[in-house]
């Protein structure tokens, strides 16, 4: 079975997101833990969280993915910005226990001229402070497109962060198809080669989720502009190979394309058909 969902608004609550996922043919979803452009987090209703857990169990949902707000920068050149990231992520991990054994994804951040080595040191330092054996959540580093001074533009940078984390079993990677394509990894013409590189540098055992997005820009552009599935420079045939690849097809896929629910429903249907066709063949 293809485990696929999209990014849903958490404003209506946990159970509402689960119901929206079912409406569009999804069996998982991603959501922001709080205001993506700010810091405020809505109080969690334990009964609402319990209702979502029951719905997910009843409909055999794949693992859910929470996304940290974009405002976080764990490797900023400003101490107060790093502290904000640390405190927000620590709070998020406590809140995530209402949905145990889920995934929590964040952007590594931008080193703002300090250099990637210093940025990596700060990110690992933050992770070593917030990770706790009591938490059931797996924290994911997202692969980035490499715009500006982003950290995580190469598999090597991701691997270096992971290698500095003490509780490594609490960590994983979320691969974004748009980001790595824009970052220079040719998943259109050499998917096997890209995955071999990922496995050699990071380890495919650490890959826990995939953001499935097309791209508005060409290979190596470092732009990070998502496009709808089949309407970008990656294209549907290449993305179909991603979801059907024997080393990837078991993973959960999360759409972050510029869509409303109806658009996501169409993309999910197209991708399920592409998956099922390969399965039958």
């Amino acid at each position: 079975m293809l485990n696929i969902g999209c990014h849903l608004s958490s404003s209506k609550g946990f159970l509402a997101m689960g119901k929206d996922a079912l409406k569009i043919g999804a069996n998982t979803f991603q959501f922001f833990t709080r205001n993506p452009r700010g810091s405020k987090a809505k109080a969690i209703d334990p009964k609402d969280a319990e209702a979502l857990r029951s719905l997910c169990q009843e409909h055999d949902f794949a693992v859910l993915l929470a996304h940290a707000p974009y405002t976080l920068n764990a490797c900023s050149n400003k101490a107060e910005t790093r502290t904000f990231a640390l405190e927000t992520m620590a709070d998020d991990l406590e809140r995530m226990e209402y949905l145990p054994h889920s995934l929590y994804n964040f952007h590594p951040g931008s080193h703002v001229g300090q250099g990637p080595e210093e940025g990596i040191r700060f990110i690992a330092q933050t992770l070593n402070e917030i990770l706790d054996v009591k938490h059931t959540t797996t924290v994911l580093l997202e692969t980035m497109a490499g715009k500006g001074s982003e950290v995580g533009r190469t598999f090597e940078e991701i691997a270096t962060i992971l290698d500095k984390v003490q509780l490594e079993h609490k960590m994983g990677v979320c691969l974004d198809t748009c980001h790595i394509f824009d970052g220079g990894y040719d998943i259109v013409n050499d998917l096997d080669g890209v995955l071999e590189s990922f496995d050699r540098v990071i380890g495919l055992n650490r890959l826990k989720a995939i953001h499935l997005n097309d791209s508005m820009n060409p290979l190596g552009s470092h732009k990070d502009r998502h496009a709808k599935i089949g309407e970008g420079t990656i294209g549907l045939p290449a993305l179909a190979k991603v979801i059907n690849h024997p080393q990837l097809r078991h993973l959960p896929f999360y759409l972050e394309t510029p869509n409303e629910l109806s658009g996501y429903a169409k993309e999910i249907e197209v991708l399920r058909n592409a998956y099922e066709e390969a399965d039958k063949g």
Side-chain angles (χ1 to χ4, degrees):
M1 176 187 291
L2 176 63
N3 293 314
I4 189 166
C6 63
H7 192 99
L8 296 175
S9 171
S10 59
S11 62
K12 296 185 291 184
F14 288 135
L15 181 58
M17 286 191 289
K19 290 180 176 179
D20 280 344
L22 290 175
K23 288 177 185 176
I24 61 174
N27 63 341
T28 185
F29 61 88
Q30 174 181 268
F31 64 97
F32 279 118
T33 56
R34 59 187 67 219
N35 184 337
R37 303 290 180 185
S39 62
K40 291 184 178 180
K42 190 171 73 171
I44 291 176
D45 178 352
K47 291 184 178 179
D48 186 36
E50 182 181 0
L52 174 60
R53 294 198 303 270
S54 296
L55 181 143
C56 289
Q57 185 174 8
E58 179 185 353
H59 294 277
D60 197 24
F61 270 41
V63 63
L64 303 181
L65 176 60
H67 199 304
Y70 295 133
T71 48
L72 303 189
N73 187 2
C75 61
S76 171
N77 58 351
K78 297 179 180 178
E80 61 270 25
T81 303
R82 297 196 302 272
T83 298
F84 170 72
L86 186 151
E87 292 176 349
T88 300
M89 292 173 70
D91 184 50
D92 278 350
L93 289 181
E94 291 294 330
R95 292 162 57 85
M96 286 302 296
E97 290 306 301
Y98 285 96
L99 300 173
H101 305 289
S102 297
L103 304 173
Y104 176 73
N105 178 70
F106 78 104
H107 293 180
S110 297
H111 61 73
V112 202
Q114 302 172 98
E117 295 82 7
E118 187 72 349
I120 286 168
R121 184 179 72 83
F122 280 135
I123 296 164
Q125 181 177 300
T126 294
L127 289 167
N128 284 327
E129 289 195 47
I130 66 172
L131 293 176
D132 194 307
V133 292
K134 70 180 181 181
H135 294 142
T136 62
T137 301
T138 300
V139 177
L140 308 185
L141 288 161
E142 184 171 341
T143 57
M144 304 307 295
K147 62 180 182 180
S149 61
E150 279 182 341
V151 176
R153 68 176 66 200
T154 65
F155 295 159
E156 286 77 11
E157 288 183 357
I158 295 288
T160 303
I161 297 169
L162 292 171
D163 290 345
K164 292 180 182 294
V165 176
Q166 294 160 4
L167 296 179
E168 58 178 337
H169 66 289
K170 294 288 185 182
M171 293 295 303
V173 176
C174 176
L175 184 150
D176 187 299
T177 54
C178 170
H179 291 179
I180 64 168
F181 185 74
D182 283 18
Y185 292 96
D186 192 355
I187 59 172
V188 174
N189 299 301
D190 190 21
L191 178 59
D192 284 337
V194 172
L195 294 179
E196 287 170 10
S197 176
F198 187 101
D199 193 33
R200 182 178 66 256
V201 176
I202 298 175
L204 280 168
N205 61 307
R206 286 171 144 172
L207 181 57
K208 305 298 182 182
I210 292 180
H211 281 163
L212 195 70
N213 304 304
D214 215 321
S215 174
M216 291 185 181
N217 293 289
L219 175 70
S221 62
H222 303 294
K223 295 290 187 182
D224 184 11
R225 294 290 304 279
H226 297 192
K228 295 179 181 179
I229 300 299
E231 296 184 13
T233 53
I234 298 175
L236 177 59
L239 292 171
K241 288 181 181 178
V242 170
I243 63 173
N244 284 296
H245 196 283
Q247 292 177 295
L248 304 177
R249 60 186 284 122
H250 66 286
L251 293 169
F253 297 88
Y254 307 88
L255 296 163
E256 293 182 317
T257 51
N259 266 314
E260 301 295 334
L261 282 180
S262 60
Y264 281 131
K266 291 176 182 177
E267 289 185 337
I268 289 170
E269 182 181 11
V270 166
L271 291 164
R272 285 201 184 284
N273 287 338
Y275 189 86
E276 291 166 0
E277 287 170 7
D279 207 25
K280 291 173 184 175

